[in-house]
Amino acid sequence: MSTDPDCLFCKIVAGKIPSRKVYEDDEILAFHDINPWAPVHFLMIPKAHIPSMAQLAPEHEALMGRMMLLAPRLALQEGCRPYPEGGFRLFTNTGADSRQEVHHLHIHVTGGPRPWLRG
Ligand code: 5GP
Ligand code: ZN
């Protein structure tokens, strides 16, 4: 599995930097964002170091599909209210124009009752 010793999220995967875990399996880790924008705000990441969506390749199809199917389940588990009254938002920043700060692919999941700090 590819990993980058200088990458913040690879360090979280390796347990070198602590995180509040939401979910973990062989390929995927989800943990609470350190600076939440909304009552629920966690990040879903592949454990492998993929810098952004720009580097996705056909071999990542199943992994990304699994993350998409996992998101609604984890959102409810973490306190998002059910659709349609509740719901949640997914977003993934890719590159400087999007203001991506951590260059290890991550999907933000935000939700919970409004108001939110951002978004
Ligand atoms: P980006 O701007 O790259 O889409 O989002 C990076 C996210 O990572 C930000 O929302 C930021 O709060 C979060 N973050 C940065 N450093 C850490 C950390 O050490 N631990 C956790 N849990 N989240 C972090
Ligand atoms: Zn990484």
Side-chain angles (χ1 to χ4, degrees), residues 3-4 7-11 47-50 103-104:
T3 183
D4 175 348
C7 167
L8 179 66
F9 287 175
C10 284
K11 289 180 188 168
K47 286 189 168 177
H49 182 78
I50 304 169
H103 288 262
H104 179 129

Side-chain angles (χ1 to χ4, degrees), residues 23-25 28-30 42 44 64-76:
Y23 174 86
E24 181 169 21
D25 66 30
I28 297 167
L29 179 68
F42 62 89
M44 303 179 65
M64 295 306 290
R66 288 190 57 230
M67 289 175 80
M68 284 296 121
L69 293 185
L70 199 52
R73 202 182 104 197
L74 297 183
L76 284 177

